[in-house]
Amino acid sequence: MPDLLIELFSEEIPARMQARAREDLRKLVTDGLVEAGLTYASAGSLSTPRRLVLTIEGLTAHSPTTREERKGPRTDAPDAALQGFLRSTGLTRDQLEARDDKKGQVWFAVIQKPGRPASEIVAEVLETTIRNFPWPKSMRWGAGALRWVRPLHSIICLLSDESGAAVVPLEIEGITAGNSTRGHRFMAPDAFAVSGFEDYAAKLRRAKVMLDPAEREAAIRQEAANLAFARGWEIMPDDGLLTEVAGLVEWPVPLMGAIEDRFLSLPPEVLQTSMKEHQKFFSARNPKTGRIEGFVTVANIETPDHGETILKGNQRVLAARLSDAAFFWENDLREARSGMADWAEGLAHVTFQSKLGSQADRIARIAALAREIAPLVGADADQAEDAARIAKLDLRSAMVGEFPELQGTMGRYYALEAGKTPEVADAARDHYSPLGPSDAVPSAPVSVAVALADKLDTLTGFWAIDEKPTGSKDPFALRRAALGVIRLVLGNGVRISLRQLAEVAASSLWHNVRFSSELAFLPAGKTAEAKNWLRVSSAHPDDPDDVSFNASIEDFYTALSADRVTDLMLVWFEDEEAEPKLGEERLLSGDKRLTSLSTDLLAFFHDRLKVFLKDQGIRHDIIDAVIAMPGNDDLVLLVNRATALNDVLKTEDGTNLLQGLKRAGNILAQAEEKDGVEYSFGADPKFAETDAERALFAALDKAEPAIREAVRLEDFQAATQGIATLRRPIDAFFDTVQINTDNQIVRRNRLNLLSRIREAGRLIADFGRIEG
Amino acid sequence: MTSPKDNQTAKPVCFQDVILRLQSYWAAQGCAVLQPYDMEVGAGTFHPATTLRSLGARPWAAAYVQPSRRPTDGRYGENPNRLQHYYQYQVIIKPSPPNLQELYLGSLKAIGLDPMIHDVRFVEDDWESPTLGAWGLGWEVWCDGMEVSQFTYFQQVGGHDCRPVSGELTYGLERLAMYVLGVEHVMDMPFNHPDSPIPLRYGDIFRQAEREYSRWNFDQADTDTLLQHFKDAEAECDRILSAPETDAAGRAIPMAHPAYDQAIKASHLFNLLDARGVISVTERQAYIGRVRALAKRCADLFVTTSAATGEALPAFPAGA
């Protein structure tokens, strides 16, 4: 059984592409080999910046011979039929066999396909793989037509077994596969020949190439930890950086340096981010001071001076970078101390989204919404509004301009510097959370208020301009925003009506000049102003460059706040032919759109909630059953209901009860359809004929008020227990009582009794939606 | 003063030493050593020796220093690393030779960066010039953690696929030289040999000009005039490209180079307007698109000419 070694040796492959390329190479080649009839024992792929490597063990030497029998025409069939059969099989007449069949003699063709040697198949598969390799970006070079991630220089394609190794004959665009490669670019640049994977890996190691990325990662991790330990420091773990750095070197040589004292007062996040983003350094922390005081850079070479020159150069670059950072930090602090007015002003000129206005517009909306939410989450309304107003100001800071990933982190520092309370400052840092599944949910009330307002504004805004996520496309991360709302609400037990908040958020969009001509939302409680506004916006086409228009809008806002809108309208429309009818129509359609927006957005929340609860073991049909209940935009209520229902349905009582409820529902539905009436009222125990009937009446009389009270108290545990007490009476009733009797009074009475069961169930959930 | 022989071994001692070594190195590799283009450009790539010559099948190899202007980078000569006027060293070879990386590493050696004691790395960095309608794949080259060059395989220029592909190397000369010479502030860097009778530092030559241009770029340049110049350049470019193919004497003379000059002009005027802060975010894209449209049309014309195809210039008709 031969082994196969493939090396594709090129100029430096981007680090971020290597892992995927290893996997693609392994899959494309092994799939191709298997499809061509070969089998193998194991396959593994490896990479360095300059090579992609595949090693396959225990490959079959040939694909198997295949034999196929095909039945043809009868021997006495017309010649045309025989000729057609010969063409389709590719055989000649004397190669056919005449065999006896039920209906006489028939021609049979036996087609043998001989197996092919592995080398032939490997050559074909490798060429196809190289020509169709799914690089995220590929290129041509020189005068050739081949595409690869960077220029491809040589190929090893070697089959080896006990008797020796043989190069697989393959030439692709002037590159002939061989058995030789090169070592480290600087430390061992000469070519050498190899006889198989073990020989290859061993020789590469001598030539200062560590082939396995996992080994390079482990080596870097270990050596960096050792270097840090020697100084009493510890390395800040960063797996993403580790993988990237391991993809930039063939022979990792970690070197440690100290950060100059003059930079140690920079926030640790700044040091870490600057060193990582610009220089791919690991940060080293001194546990005694809690500060980041050093770094580890990973060189790709062993030098006679043991890396001294390299370290010195890196120190120099670091000093220049950190000088920039210190400069930004000092300037930003000065602006923060002066109250951050310039930043706020600057955000008025930064577009958030062309239809949704500037960042300043957005902040004003978030601030208003945060005020509304504050009392619902136990936050002080003034603090929440203040926090919302300053939370995004750091977007204008020089530091966040340089390192966007520090947004919020810097916001907290600057807010504190500006004299804000710790609660407000924390909200600046935390209002973006939760971002990913592992990101913690804020719990401080002010942070929760701003975080919710931020996400709800984003969702409502993009819903309003119809930029919803579709399929895999979610460029504004709206699914993440919705999940963030869900986690904030559930994590903090926040009792809010999402529908109502969405409508409040949407209503504040109407203030946006550029937006209002397309979308006319009726702001709650401001009908008169809204009507006037619509007339203005329809009379003045939205032209942001029109100075008089902008001035008129300014006037309008002033008048609006001073309640002088109507007077102003009169003046404005004196010489204009106003079209009040148009305004009316748009007002109506705006009102309708607001309702449909909040309905649609709520459905989106429910979809996200299903995904979220499924991970927590709650079935989607149970969620459907509770979504059908009133108050479904209060997610805490909804989830409590679902959890209680989920629990009870896990018990035997629960599953039997479900059957009973469904049976009652089905019988009722059938009878109602047949009779054309709804049975909903009037069951009377005096018409009960059996003990089972009477027992059910008694059980319902007892359970109904208990369930009602439990639901009122939102104690769904008790409510589901209450309904579970009906299980045995319902079972007994169905076991012994025939609903459809000739006595119409008795029949109607029984149907009305079933209706009481249905109603009791409806207090808790729409059981009809539950499967099983 | 160092003799030429010392140059081979000792480290460079001044800015011009770095330049001279690069010049002789690339001359020795067979590049035509050109002089800077005589127009204001933002980068060495704009030189027609790169932009236009990277188009078409005709082989090409050139190296040159290109003074580059980036008005928004002006810092009144105070910032140790930023200048509104600086030098790039540019190498362009078509088709890109298989040993271009080795040739490049040789140039580092030539200026005193021995890859056996430094850490030289090729780190992914794709290049794109929206103004030129051009892009390529390659790396930024790191030496001990500092970016010292840009290394690009051109894939498209002026909207045309590059066949064959050119290899382009761009060195930021000041930054590179500061590193080699161990200088912290660009203005402190020796320009000629420090032992010269009249030693000159970079700041002796450029500090005042940096100040003056920073003021002019940011505060003084007359935006109405610049805008008019932009429109004029655009119009002239269009006029040149729309001119009949033959002149009055019946000679077929396409004018790709003069038209491209106007595109370069428009590009620089746009940079000046940008520095004056009169171009909004949305307008920016529109201006870049206008320059790109010019560059593309110049490229369309250039690829039909013998400078691109490598065929002999057509003879003029008899009697013309």
Side-chain angles (χ1 to χ4, degrees), chain A residues 589-605:
Chain A
S589 80
D591 198 19
K592 229 164 82 189
R593 282 184 78 165
L594 184 60
T595 316
S596 88
L597 180 149
S598 60
T599 304
D600 198 40
L601 184 56
L602 188 60
F604 183 68
F605 275 120

Side-chain angles (χ1 to χ4, degrees), chain A residues 11-12 14 16 137 139-140 142 150-151 153 185-186 249 278 298-301 303 309-310 313-314 316-317, chain B residues 96 98 101-102 115-119 121 124 126 138-139 142 144-145 153 155 162-165 179 183-184:
Chain A
E11 297 178 14
E12 278 75 357
R16 68 185 170 95
K137 260 187 190 173
M139 55 165 272
R140 292 173 290 106
R150 291 294 183 276
H153 281 276
R185 186 188 278 288
F186 303 114
V249 294
H278 289 313
V298 182
N300 186 35
I301 191 166
T303 63
T309 308
I310 296 172
N314 275 288
R316 224 179 99 100
V317 183
Chain B
S96 64
Q101 281 186 312
E102 280 70 38
M116 296 307 289
I117 59 161
H118 291 278
D119 183 34
R121 229 91 68 71
E124 178 193 14
D126 302 339
W139 311 271
W142 285 21
D144 304 334
Y153 291 101
Q155 301 295 301
C162 298
R163 289 178 197 278
V165 167
Y179 188 65
V183 176
E184 301 295 332

Side-chain angles (χ1 to χ4, degrees), chain B residues 211-291:
Chain B
R211 256 187 214 189
E212 294 176 2
Y213 276 109
S214 294
R215 181 177 179 203
W216 184 74
N217 292 338
F218 290 130
D219 305 332
Q220 286 293 315
D222 184 70
T223 54
D224 291 342
T225 310
L226 292 175
L227 199 55
Q228 190 54 51
H229 285 346
F230 182 91
K231 287 178 187 160
D232 289 347
E234 191 180 32
E236 178 62 4
C237 185
D238 175 65
R239 206 187 57 78
I240 299 172
L241 291 167
S242 312
E245 207 183 282
T246 50
D247 69 358
R251 296 174 297 192
I253 309 179
M255 296 173 288
H257 287 85
Y260 180 64
D261 280 357
Q262 299 301 320
I264 296 179
K265 238 176 221 176
S267 172
H268 179 63
L269 287 159
F270 160 72
N271 289 341
L272 287 170
L273 285 163
D274 196 24
R276 290 286 280 120
V278 294
I279 291 178
S280 75
V281 181
T282 33
E283 286 173 320
R284 237 186 113 73
Q285 290 313 313
Y287 273 99
I288 290 172
R290 282 161 76 177
V291 179

Side-chain angles (χ1 to χ4, degrees), chain A residues 180-198:
Chain A
S180 82
T181 187
R182 290 170 189 280
H184 189 277
R185 186 188 278 288
F186 303 114
M187 293 191 283
D190 295 334
F192 55 86
V194 302
S195 62
F197 178 72
E198 275 179 30

Side-chain angles (χ1 to χ4, degrees), chain A residues 45 69 455 619 738:
Chain A
S45 54
E69 282 195 3
K455 290 164 184 64
R619 278 157 38 190
Q738 187 75 30

Side-chain angles (χ1 to χ4, degrees), chain A residues 503-520:
Chain A
E503 291 184 8
V504 171
S507 299
S508 66
L509 284 166
W510 75 284
H511 281 292
N512 191 319
V513 177
R514 284 159 202 247
F515 191 54
S516 53
S517 58
E518 298 185 33
L519 269 171

Side-chain angles (χ1 to χ4, degrees), chain A residues 416-603:
Chain A
L416 288 173
E417 196 69 22
K420 301 291 176 188
T421 64
E423 290 82 2
V424 168
D426 284 349
R429 180 190 58 198
D430 297 332
H431 81 283
Y432 295 105
S433 294
L435 286 167
S438 58
D439 196 14
V441 178
S443 58
V446 177
S447 300
V448 173
V450 182
L452 275 174
D454 185 23
K455 290 164 184 64
L456 283 170
D457 175 70
T458 300
L459 285 162
T460 322
F462 284 101
W463 241 251
I465 60 171
D466 212 17
E467 291 277 359
K468 303 169 204 173
T470 50
S472 61
K473 285 201 188 109
D474 184 10
F476 306 106
L478 300 178
R479 292 194 179 103
R480 192 175 73 186
L483 184 60
V485 170
I486 290 170
R487 291 183 60 200
L488 280 159
V489 165
L490 298 181
N492 293 293
V494 177
R495 305 300 303 271
I496 50 170
S497 155
L498 279 181
R499 178 187 285 276
Q500 209 180 326
L501 281 181
E503 291 184 8
V504 171
S507 299
S508 66
L509 284 166
W510 75 284
H511 281 292
N512 191 319
V513 177
R514 284 159 202 247
F515 191 54
S516 53
S517 58
E518 298 185 33
L519 269 171
F521 287 133
L522 177 63
K526 291 188 178 168
T527 315
E529 291 92 331
K531 274 185 186 174
N532 287 330
W533 166 245
L534 290 168
R535 291 170 63 198
V536 178
S537 59
S538 52
H540 292 255
D542 175 20
D543 180 1
D545 293 333
D546 181 344
V547 179
S548 65
F549 171 70
N550 281 332
S552 68
I553 295 302
E554 289 296 319
D555 289 349
F556 173 71
Y557 281 145
T558 317
L560 183 66
S561 55
D563 223 5
R564 289 185 289 106
V565 176
T566 324
D567 296 346
L568 198 66
M569 289 295 116
L570 291 175
V571 179
W572 272 356
F573 286 105
E574 224 165 20
D575 303 321
E576 302 229 15
E577 202 179 349
E579 288 187 70
K581 212 177 151 201
L582 177 66
E584 288 294 333
E585 278 167 16
R586 295 182 61 203
L587 187 63
L588 282 174
S589 80
D591 198 19
K592 229 164 82 189
R593 282 184 78 165
L594 184 60
T595 316
S596 88
L597 180 149
S598 60
T599 304
D600 198 40
L601 184 56
L602 188 60

Side-chain angles (χ1 to χ4, degrees), chain A residues 343-406:
Chain A
W343 290 344
E345 162 63 22
L347 286 179
H349 305 291
V350 178
T351 308
F352 167 56
Q353 203 280 344
S354 59
K355 288 181 182 169
L356 296 175
S358 69
Q359 289 283 16
D361 295 335
R362 176 186 178 208
I363 288 168
R365 293 196 300 268
I366 296 172
L369 194 56
R371 257 201 107 79
E372 297 270 344
I373 296 173
L376 307 171
V377 297
D380 177 74
D382 290 338
Q383 286 224 2
E385 185 183 340
D386 194 25
R389 288 198 185 281
I390 60 104
K392 293 187 191 295
L393 295 186
D394 66 346
L395 294 178
R396 290 297 289 174
S397 68
M399 192 68 85
V400 174
E402 182 73 8
F403 302 113
E405 61 270 49
L406 288 180

